[in-house]
Amino acid sequence: MNRPADVSAGVLLYRRTSDGVEVLIAHPGGPYWAKRHEGAWSIPKGLVDEGEDHEAAARREFEEETGHASAAPAEDLGSVKLKSGKEVHAYAIEGDLDPEAMVSNTFMLEWPPRSGRMVATPEIDRVAWCLPGEAKQLLNPAQAPFVDRLVAWLEGGAV
């Protein structure tokens, strides 16, 4: 059984446009990620608390990381395993969010390392709406299947 620190949950927000479906992905904040782009993005996600329902955790983390809450129905997109061994559960929710209105929570980080100086760092520094192909290029490769599962579900297939 996985320990709570080994399990995260998040939301893959999607919207329908004249160009097709778009998904909202997030770029991690902080100096380590500042110059990383392709393969560095993620769905807004975070740790599942001990005994917490995965969908509830996904909704809580999405709100903490974007400042946006949604009560819309969610579709379970299953889970993936990251290279680190962490298991990530994702839920698709239809909605809209203005990337300029995104407000992330922060955490304290010692920067530069071993300097003793602590700086408030956003968990995510920006979000972007992307078509599925672009999203799959930008996402951590282990999370790309969530986009495929969403598209298959929207096309009437099983997740």
Side-chain angles (χ1 to χ4, degrees):
M1 183 166 162
N2 289 336
R3 293 169 296 151
D6 296 330
V7 180
S8 286
V11 169
L12 183 59
L13 194 70
Y14 70 94
R15 67 182 181 186
R16 301 167 205 258
T17 71
S18 58
D19 292 330
V21 68
E22 292 180 329
V23 296
L24 186 81
I25 59 174
H27 187 269
Y32 176 78
W33 297 101
K35 295 183 180 184
R36 297 173 188 254
H37 188 63
E38 197 166 293
W41 293 65
S42 177
I43 65 169
K45 64 174 178 45
L47 295 176
V48 175
D49 291 335
E50 181 94 32
E52 186 178 22
D53 174 76
H54 290 153
E55 182 182 333
R59 289 177 183 274
R60 174 182 51 76
E61 286 292 336
F62 186 81
E63 183 174 5
E64 287 176 4
E65 293 194 355
T66 67
H68 179 80
S70 175
E75 177 65 25
D76 187 345
L77 297 176
S79 65
V80 297
K81 198 139 321 241
L82 304 181
K83 280 185 182 179
S84 66
K86 180 178 281 187
E87 184 178 341
V88 179
H89 294 260
Y91 295 84
I93 296 177
E94 188 168 10
D96 205 356
L97 184 149
D98 176 359
E100 298 298 319
M102 185 277 304
V103 178
S104 178
N105 57 345
T106 60
F107 65 96
M108 297 306 291
L109 174 71
E110 183 179 13
W111 194 258
R114 295 178 295 285
S115 67
R117 194 180 113 203
M118 301 299 286
V119 296
T121 306
E123 285 203 35
I124 59 175
D125 59 20
R126 64 189 178 275
V127 295
W129 286 105
C130 300
L131 293 170
E134 180 186 13
K136 287 170 41 176
Q137 286 186 321
L138 295 176
L139 281 168
N140 173 313
Q143 293 182 36
F146 291 141
V147 176
D148 291 332
R149 294 173 192 171
L150 169 67
V151 170
W153 174 69
L154 291 172
E155 292 174 350
V159 174

